[in-house]
Amino acid sequence: DSGSAAAASDPTPAAVVGSRTKAADDSAGDKVDIRVEANGGENITNIKMRLGSPFEKMMAAWCQQYGIPREEAYFLLDGRQLEPDMTPEKCGWSASLGQLVVEVSSLEEVE
C-alpha cells in the first residue's frame, strides 16, 4: 500500500510544475503589435510578433520590404538602439502594454 500512496501523491507536484511551465510558455508565446515608423512616421509598417521572438525577424522583414540592406538600418526603441537578439520581453514589454513603437533610420538618412 505504501507504493499506491506514493503514486497517488505523485501527480500533484507534476501538475503544479506542468502548469508553471505552461504559464511561462504562454507568456513567451503572447503576441505584441509592433509599429515600425520610418521617415518621421511617413512610412509605417505594422508587425505582430511573439514576445519571446528576437527583433531580428522584424528587422529582416522590414529591410526586405523596403529594399534596404540590414546593415544600413538602425532600429530604435525609446531612443535606444535595438540589437537583433533582443526580444520585446527582454525590453520589458508585455501584450498588456499595447502597441510597441520602433523607429527606424537608414544609413542614408544619417549621412
Side-chain angles (χ1 to χ4, degrees), residues 31-36 44-50 55 57-63 65-66 75 99-100 102:
K31 290 190 177 182
V32 64
D33 290 314
I34 299 179
R35 177 183 171 118
V36 184
I44 296 171
T45 304
N46 292 303
I47 297 173
K48 275 189 185 278
M49 64 183 279
R50 295 185 195 287
F55 282 115
K57 293 179 179 186
M58 176 269 298
M59 294 171 173
W62 188 90
C63 289
Q65 180 176 344
Y66 289 98
F75 294 83
Q99 190 175 57
L100 185 147
V102 173

PDB file of all heavy atoms in Angstrom, residues 31-36 44-50 55 57-63 65-66 75 99-100 102:
ATOM      1  N   LYS A  31       1.521  37.501 -28.285  1.00  0.00           N
ATOM      2  CA  LYS A  31       1.970  38.335 -29.398  1.00  0.00           C
ATOM      3  C   LYS A  31       1.769  39.799 -29.059  1.00  0.00           C
ATOM      4  O   LYS A  31       0.873  40.169 -28.316  1.00  0.00           O
ATOM      5  CB  LYS A  31       1.213  37.971 -30.669  1.00  0.00           C
ATOM      6  CG  LYS A  31       1.604  36.616 -31.196  1.00  0.00           C
ATOM      7  CD  LYS A  31       1.049  36.374 -32.560  1.00  0.00           C
ATOM      8  CE  LYS A  31       1.548  35.031 -33.067  1.00  0.00           C
ATOM      9  NZ  LYS A  31       1.081  34.753 -34.412  1.00  0.00           N
ATOM     10  N   VAL A  32       2.638  40.618 -29.607  1.00  0.00           N
ATOM     11  CA  VAL A  32       2.565  42.058 -29.412  1.00  0.00           C
ATOM     12  C   VAL A  32       2.527  42.722 -30.786  1.00  0.00           C
ATOM     13  O   VAL A  32       3.118  42.214 -31.746  1.00  0.00           O
ATOM     14  CB  VAL A  32       3.763  42.557 -28.554  1.00  0.00           C
ATOM     15  CG1 VAL A  32       5.076  42.328 -29.246  1.00  0.00           C
ATOM     16  CG2 VAL A  32       3.591  44.002 -28.162  1.00  0.00           C
ATOM     17  N   ASP A  33       1.782  43.807 -30.876  1.00  0.00           N
ATOM     18  CA  ASP A  33       1.732  44.587 -32.109  1.00  0.00           C
ATOM     19  C   ASP A  33       2.899  45.563 -32.101  1.00  0.00           C
ATOM     20  O   ASP A  33       3.103  46.292 -31.133  1.00  0.00           O
ATOM     21  CB  ASP A  33       0.427  45.378 -32.211  1.00  0.00           C
ATOM     22  CG  ASP A  33      -0.769  44.478 -32.443  1.00  0.00           C
ATOM     23  OD1 ASP A  33      -0.671  43.589 -33.305  1.00  0.00           O
ATOM     24  OD2 ASP A  33      -1.796  44.677 -31.770  1.00  0.00           O
ATOM     25  N   ILE A  34       3.652  45.572 -33.186  1.00  0.00           N
ATOM     26  CA  ILE A  34       4.789  46.482 -33.301  1.00  0.00           C
ATOM     27  C   ILE A  34       4.529  47.419 -34.473  1.00  0.00           C
ATOM     28  O   ILE A  34       4.188  46.991 -35.571  1.00  0.00           O
ATOM     29  CB  ILE A  34       6.103  45.710 -33.509  1.00  0.00           C
ATOM     30  CG1 ILE A  34       6.341  44.800 -32.294  1.00  0.00           C
ATOM     31  CG2 ILE A  34       7.265  46.671 -33.719  1.00  0.00           C
ATOM     32  CD1 ILE A  34       7.574  43.972 -32.370  1.00  0.00           C
ATOM     33  N   ARG A  35       4.672  48.692 -34.206  1.00  0.00           N
ATOM     34  CA  ARG A  35       4.512  49.720 -35.238  1.00  0.00           C
ATOM     35  C   ARG A  35       5.920  50.211 -35.563  1.00  0.00           C
ATOM     36  O   ARG A  35       6.584  50.798 -34.711  1.00  0.00           O
ATOM     37  CB  ARG A  35       3.640  50.851 -34.705  1.00  0.00           C
ATOM     38  CG  ARG A  35       3.468  52.006 -35.647  1.00  0.00           C
ATOM     39  CD  ARG A  35       2.631  53.077 -34.956  1.00  0.00           C
ATOM     40  NE  ARG A  35       2.606  54.301 -35.719  1.00  0.00           N
ATOM     41  CZ  ARG A  35       1.494  54.826 -36.213  1.00  0.00           C
ATOM     42  NH1 ARG A  35       0.335  54.243 -36.002  1.00  0.00           N
ATOM     43  NH2 ARG A  35       1.540  55.945 -36.897  1.00  0.00           N
ATOM     44  N   VAL A  36       6.357  49.961 -36.794  1.00  0.00           N
ATOM     45  CA  VAL A  36       7.694  50.379 -37.220  1.00  0.00           C
ATOM     46  C   VAL A  36       7.521  51.653 -38.045  1.00  0.00           C
ATOM     47  O   VAL A  36       6.850  51.653 -39.070  1.00  0.00           O
ATOM     48  CB  VAL A  36       8.391  49.272 -38.054  1.00  0.00           C
ATOM     49  CG1 VAL A  36       9.809  49.686 -38.403  1.00  0.00           C
ATOM     50  CG2 VAL A  36       8.400  47.948 -37.289  1.00  0.00           C
ATOM     51  N   ILE A  44       4.885  53.640 -42.334  1.00  0.00           N
ATOM     52  CA  ILE A  44       4.523  52.860 -41.157  1.00  0.00           C
ATOM     53  C   ILE A  44       4.244  51.423 -41.570  1.00  0.00           C
ATOM     54  O   ILE A  44       3.516  51.182 -42.530  1.00  0.00           O
ATOM     55  CB  ILE A  44       3.295  53.454 -40.448  1.00  0.00           C
ATOM     56  CG1 ILE A  44       3.642  54.853 -39.930  1.00  0.00           C
ATOM     57  CG2 ILE A  44       2.829  52.549 -39.317  1.00  0.00           C
ATOM     58  CD1 ILE A  44       2.462  55.620 -39.395  1.00  0.00           C
ATOM     59  N   THR A  45       4.843  50.502 -40.846  1.00  0.00           N
ATOM     60  CA  THR A  45       4.609  49.081 -41.066  1.00  0.00           C
ATOM     61  C   THR A  45       4.181  48.479 -39.737  1.00  0.00           C
ATOM     62  O   THR A  45       4.826  48.703 -38.717  1.00  0.00           O
ATOM     63  CB  THR A  45       5.905  48.383 -41.547  1.00  0.00           C
ATOM     64  OG1 THR A  45       6.375  49.050 -42.717  1.00  0.00           O
ATOM     65  CG2 THR A  45       5.654  46.926 -41.863  1.00  0.00           C
ATOM     66  N   ASN A  46       3.073  47.747 -39.743  1.00  0.00           N
ATOM     67  CA  ASN A  46       2.600  47.075 -38.537  1.00  0.00           C
ATOM     68  C   ASN A  46       2.952  45.603 -38.615  1.00  0.00           C
ATOM     69  O   ASN A  46       2.695  44.955 -39.625  1.00  0.00           O
ATOM     70  CB  ASN A  46       1.090  47.258 -38.374  1.00  0.00           C
ATOM     71  CG  ASN A  46       0.752  48.702 -38.063  1.00  0.00           C
ATOM     72  OD1 ASN A  46       1.237  49.263 -37.090  1.00  0.00           O
ATOM     73  ND2 ASN A  46      -0.065  49.312 -38.892  1.00  0.00           N
ATOM     74  N   ILE A  47       3.544  45.103 -37.540  1.00  0.00           N
ATOM     75  CA  ILE A  47       4.011  43.722 -37.486  1.00  0.00           C
ATOM     76  C   ILE A  47       3.556  43.116 -36.164  1.00  0.00           C
ATOM     77  O   ILE A  47       3.576  43.785 -35.136  1.00  0.00           O
ATOM     78  CB  ILE A  47       5.560  43.674 -37.571  1.00  0.00           C
ATOM     79  CG1 ILE A  47       6.025  44.244 -38.914  1.00  0.00           C
ATOM     80  CG2 ILE A  47       6.081  42.262 -37.370  1.00  0.00           C
ATOM     81  CD1 ILE A  47       7.527  44.390 -39.047  1.00  0.00           C
ATOM     82  N   LYS A  48       3.145  41.852 -36.206  1.00  0.00           N
ATOM     83  CA  LYS A  48       2.842  41.106 -34.980  1.00  0.00           C
ATOM     84  C   LYS A  48       3.974  40.119 -34.769  1.00  0.00           C
ATOM     85  O   LYS A  48       4.421  39.471 -35.704  1.00  0.00           O
ATOM     86  CB  LYS A  48       1.533  40.318 -35.130  1.00  0.00           C
ATOM     87  CG  LYS A  48       0.293  41.102 -34.834  1.00  0.00           C
ATOM     88  CD  LYS A  48      -0.895  40.154 -34.805  1.00  0.00           C
ATOM     89  CE  LYS A  48      -2.173  40.888 -34.643  1.00  0.00           C
ATOM     90  NZ  LYS A  48      -2.494  41.247 -33.286  1.00  0.00           N
ATOM     91  N   MET A  49       4.436  40.043 -33.525  1.00  0.00           N
ATOM     92  CA  MET A  49       5.456  39.042 -33.221  1.00  0.00           C
ATOM     93  C   MET A  49       5.307  38.582 -31.779  1.00  0.00           C
ATOM     94  O   MET A  49       4.696  39.257 -30.958  1.00  0.00           O
ATOM     95  CB  MET A  49       6.865  39.558 -33.514  1.00  0.00           C
ATOM     96  CG  MET A  49       7.338  40.723 -32.691  1.00  0.00           C
ATOM     97  SD  MET A  49       8.982  41.310 -33.193  1.00  0.00           S
ATOM     98  CE  MET A  49      10.059  40.156 -32.358  1.00  0.00           C
ATOM     99  N   ARG A  50       5.843  37.416 -31.493  1.00  0.00           N
ATOM    100  CA  ARG A  50       5.788  36.866 -30.140  1.00  0.00           C
ATOM    101  C   ARG A  50       6.738  37.642 -29.237  1.00  0.00           C
ATOM    102  O   ARG A  50       7.789  38.102 -29.676  1.00  0.00           O
ATOM    103  CB  ARG A  50       6.183  35.392 -30.146  1.00  0.00           C
ATOM    104  CG  ARG A  50       5.220  34.513 -30.907  1.00  0.00           C
ATOM    105  CD  ARG A  50       5.621  33.047 -30.765  1.00  0.00           C
ATOM    106  NE  ARG A  50       4.986  32.192 -31.722  1.00  0.00           N
ATOM    107  CZ  ARG A  50       3.713  31.822 -31.716  1.00  0.00           C
ATOM    108  NH1 ARG A  50       2.926  32.276 -30.779  1.00  0.00           N
ATOM    109  NH2 ARG A  50       3.225  31.029 -32.623  1.00  0.00           N
ATOM    110  N   PHE A  55      14.128  40.422 -32.241  1.00  0.00           N
ATOM    111  CA  PHE A  55      13.789  41.511 -33.159  1.00  0.00           C
ATOM    112  C   PHE A  55      14.385  41.281 -34.548  1.00  0.00           C
ATOM    113  O   PHE A  55      13.955  41.911 -35.510  1.00  0.00           O
ATOM    114  CB  PHE A  55      14.273  42.852 -32.612  1.00  0.00           C
ATOM    115  CG  PHE A  55      13.383  43.414 -31.536  1.00  0.00           C
ATOM    116  CD1 PHE A  55      13.848  43.561 -30.241  1.00  0.00           C
ATOM    117  CD2 PHE A  55      12.091  43.813 -31.829  1.00  0.00           C
ATOM    118  CE1 PHE A  55      13.040  44.097 -29.257  1.00  0.00           C
ATOM    119  CE2 PHE A  55      11.273  44.348 -30.845  1.00  0.00           C
ATOM    120  CZ  PHE A  55      11.745  44.492 -29.546  1.00  0.00           C
ATOM    121  N   LYS A  57      13.923  39.050 -36.669  1.00  0.00           N
ATOM    122  CA  LYS A  57      12.883  38.682 -37.639  1.00  0.00           C
ATOM    123  C   LYS A  57      12.161  39.912 -38.156  1.00  0.00           C
ATOM    124  O   LYS A  57      11.921  40.064 -39.351  1.00  0.00           O
ATOM    125  CB  LYS A  57      11.883  37.706 -37.010  1.00  0.00           C
ATOM    126  CG  LYS A  57      12.479  36.358 -36.689  1.00  0.00           C
ATOM    127  CD  LYS A  57      11.463  35.447 -36.043  1.00  0.00           C
ATOM    128  CE  LYS A  57      12.069  34.091 -35.741  1.00  0.00           C
ATOM    129  NZ  LYS A  57      11.072  33.154 -35.240  1.00  0.00           N
ATOM    130  N   MET A  58      11.800  40.814 -37.258  1.00  0.00           N
ATOM    131  CA  MET A  58      11.126  42.050 -37.641  1.00  0.00           C
ATOM    132  C   MET A  58      12.057  42.922 -38.480  1.00  0.00           C
ATOM    133  O   MET A  58      11.658  43.485 -39.496  1.00  0.00           O
ATOM    134  CB  MET A  58      10.677  42.789 -36.377  1.00  0.00           C
ATOM    135  CG  MET A  58      10.050  44.153 -36.605  1.00  0.00           C
ATOM    136  SD  MET A  58      11.196  45.558 -36.571  1.00  0.00           S
ATOM    137  CE  MET A  58      11.845  45.501 -34.918  1.00  0.00           C
ATOM    138  N   MET A  59      13.308  43.010 -38.076  1.00  0.00           N
ATOM    139  CA  MET A  59      14.289  43.831 -38.790  1.00  0.00           C
ATOM    140  C   MET A  59      14.488  43.329 -40.215  1.00  0.00           C
ATOM    141  O   MET A  59      14.488  44.104 -41.167  1.00  0.00           O
ATOM    142  CB  MET A  59      15.624  43.822 -38.038  1.00  0.00           C
ATOM    143  CG  MET A  59      15.571  44.481 -36.691  1.00  0.00           C
ATOM    144  SD  MET A  59      17.127  44.188 -35.790  1.00  0.00           S
ATOM    145  CE  MET A  59      16.892  45.228 -34.361  1.00  0.00           C
ATOM    146  N   ALA A  60      14.655  42.025 -40.347  1.00  0.00           N
ATOM    147  CA  ALA A  60      14.873  41.436 -41.673  1.00  0.00           C
ATOM    148  C   ALA A  60      13.654  41.636 -42.567  1.00  0.00           C
ATOM    149  O   ALA A  60      13.791  41.976 -43.750  1.00  0.00           O
ATOM    150  CB  ALA A  60      15.200  39.949 -41.537  1.00  0.00           C
ATOM    151  N   ALA A  61      12.455  41.456 -42.013  1.00  0.00           N
ATOM    152  CA  ALA A  61      11.221  41.631 -42.799  1.00  0.00           C
ATOM    153  C   ALA A  61      11.083  43.070 -43.259  1.00  0.00           C
ATOM    154  O   ALA A  61      10.739  43.341 -44.422  1.00  0.00           O
ATOM    155  CB  ALA A  61      10.010  41.204 -41.973  1.00  0.00           C
ATOM    156  N   TRP A  62      11.355  44.026 -42.375  1.00  0.00           N
ATOM    157  CA  TRP A  62      11.227  45.436 -42.730  1.00  0.00           C
ATOM    158  C   TRP A  62      12.237  45.796 -43.824  1.00  0.00           C
ATOM    159  O   TRP A  62      11.886  46.442 -44.807  1.00  0.00           O
ATOM    160  CB  TRP A  62      11.421  46.319 -41.495  1.00  0.00           C
ATOM    161  CG  TRP A  62      11.116  47.755 -41.785  1.00  0.00           C
ATOM    162  CD1 TRP A  62       9.912  48.374 -41.663  1.00  0.00           C
ATOM    163  CD2 TRP A  62      12.018  48.736 -42.306  1.00  0.00           C
ATOM    164  NE1 TRP A  62      10.010  49.684 -42.070  1.00  0.00           N
ATOM    165  CE2 TRP A  62      11.303  49.929 -42.463  1.00  0.00           C
ATOM    166  CE3 TRP A  62      13.370  48.716 -42.653  1.00  0.00           C
ATOM    167  CZ2 TRP A  62      11.880  51.107 -42.953  1.00  0.00           C
ATOM    168  CZ3 TRP A  62      13.940  49.881 -43.147  1.00  0.00           C
ATOM    169  CH2 TRP A  62      13.208  51.063 -43.288  1.00  0.00           C
ATOM    170  N   CYS A  63      13.480  45.384 -43.645  1.00  0.00           N
ATOM    171  CA  CYS A  63      14.526  45.690 -44.629  1.00  0.00           C
ATOM    172  C   CYS A  63      14.209  45.085 -45.992  1.00  0.00           C
ATOM    173  O   CYS A  63      14.400  45.726 -47.026  1.00  0.00           O
ATOM    174  CB  CYS A  63      15.886  45.207 -44.129  1.00  0.00           C
ATOM    175  SG  CYS A  63      16.522  46.190 -42.761  1.00  0.00           S
ATOM    176  N   GLN A  65      11.201  44.387 -47.153  1.00  0.00           N
ATOM    177  CA  GLN A  65      10.061  45.103 -47.721  1.00  0.00           C
ATOM    178  C   GLN A  65      10.486  46.415 -48.385  1.00  0.00           C
ATOM    179  O   GLN A  65       9.953  46.790 -49.416  1.00  0.00           O
ATOM    180  CB  GLN A  65       9.026  45.392 -46.632  1.00  0.00           C
ATOM    181  CG  GLN A  65       7.810  46.146 -47.142  1.00  0.00           C
ATOM    182  CD  GLN A  65       6.747  46.342 -46.080  1.00  0.00           C
ATOM    183  OE1 GLN A  65       6.751  45.700 -45.044  1.00  0.00           O
ATOM    184  NE2 GLN A  65       5.828  47.247 -46.337  1.00  0.00           N
ATOM    185  N   TYR A  66      11.446  47.117 -47.788  1.00  0.00           N
ATOM    186  CA  TYR A  66      11.858  48.419 -48.311  1.00  0.00           C
ATOM    187  C   TYR A  66      13.141  48.374 -49.138  1.00  0.00           C
ATOM    188  O   TYR A  66      13.628  49.417 -49.580  1.00  0.00           O
ATOM    189  CB  TYR A  66      11.987  49.430 -47.163  1.00  0.00           C
ATOM    190  CG  TYR A  66      10.628  49.800 -46.610  1.00  0.00           C
ATOM    191  CD1 TYR A  66      10.127  49.183 -45.470  1.00  0.00           C
ATOM    192  CD2 TYR A  66       9.817  50.728 -47.258  1.00  0.00           C
ATOM    193  CE1 TYR A  66       8.867  49.499 -44.976  1.00  0.00           C
ATOM    194  CE2 TYR A  66       8.559  51.054 -46.774  1.00  0.00           C
ATOM    195  CZ  TYR A  66       8.096  50.428 -45.633  1.00  0.00           C
ATOM    196  OH  TYR A  66       6.844  50.743 -45.154  1.00  0.00           O
ATOM    197  N   PHE A  75      17.381  50.422 -35.773  1.00  0.00           N
ATOM    198  CA  PHE A  75      16.065  50.317 -35.144  1.00  0.00           C
ATOM    199  C   PHE A  75      16.179  50.806 -33.703  1.00  0.00           C
ATOM    200  O   PHE A  75      17.050  50.354 -32.961  1.00  0.00           O
ATOM    201  CB  PHE A  75      15.578  48.864 -35.187  1.00  0.00           C
ATOM    202  CG  PHE A  75      15.319  48.381 -36.585  1.00  0.00           C
ATOM    203  CD1 PHE A  75      16.354  47.906 -37.386  1.00  0.00           C
ATOM    204  CD2 PHE A  75      14.040  48.413 -37.113  1.00  0.00           C
ATOM    205  CE1 PHE A  75      16.117  47.472 -38.676  1.00  0.00           C
ATOM    206  CE2 PHE A  75      13.797  47.978 -38.407  1.00  0.00           C
ATOM    207  CZ  PHE A  75      14.837  47.517 -39.188  1.00  0.00           C
ATOM    208  N   GLN A  99       0.600  48.573 -28.106  1.00  0.00           N
ATOM    209  CA  GLN A  99       1.481  48.595 -29.270  1.00  0.00           C
ATOM    210  C   GLN A  99       2.866  49.133 -28.912  1.00  0.00           C
ATOM    211  O   GLN A  99       2.999  50.132 -28.218  1.00  0.00           O
ATOM    212  CB  GLN A  99       0.846  49.469 -30.354  1.00  0.00           C
ATOM    213  CG  GLN A  99       1.523  49.396 -31.688  1.00  0.00           C
ATOM    214  CD  GLN A  99       0.765  50.198 -32.739  1.00  0.00           C
ATOM    215  OE1 GLN A  99       0.541  51.383 -32.565  1.00  0.00           O
ATOM    216  NE2 GLN A  99       0.352  49.541 -33.800  1.00  0.00           N
ATOM    217  N   LEU A 100       3.877  48.471 -29.423  1.00  0.00           N
ATOM    218  CA  LEU A 100       5.261  48.874 -29.230  1.00  0.00           C
ATOM    219  C   LEU A 100       5.678  49.658 -30.469  1.00  0.00           C
ATOM    220  O   LEU A 100       5.455  49.200 -31.593  1.00  0.00           O
ATOM    221  CB  LEU A 100       6.104  47.607 -29.057  1.00  0.00           C
ATOM    222  CG  LEU A 100       7.571  47.736 -28.729  1.00  0.00           C
ATOM    223  CD1 LEU A 100       7.983  46.562 -27.845  1.00  0.00           C
ATOM    224  CD2 LEU A 100       8.416  47.743 -29.959  1.00  0.00           C
ATOM    225  N   VAL A 102       8.582  51.239 -32.765  1.00  0.00           N
ATOM    226  CA  VAL A 102      10.009  51.181 -33.084  1.00  0.00           C
ATOM    227  C   VAL A 102      10.267  52.180 -34.207  1.00  0.00           C
ATOM    228  O   VAL A 102       9.533  52.216 -35.193  1.00  0.00           O
ATOM    229  CB  VAL A 102      10.420  49.758 -33.536  1.00  0.00           C
ATOM    230  CG1 VAL A 102      11.862  49.728 -34.025  1.00  0.00           C
ATOM    231  CG2 VAL A 102      10.225  48.761 -32.405  1.00  0.00           C
TER     232      VAL A 102
END
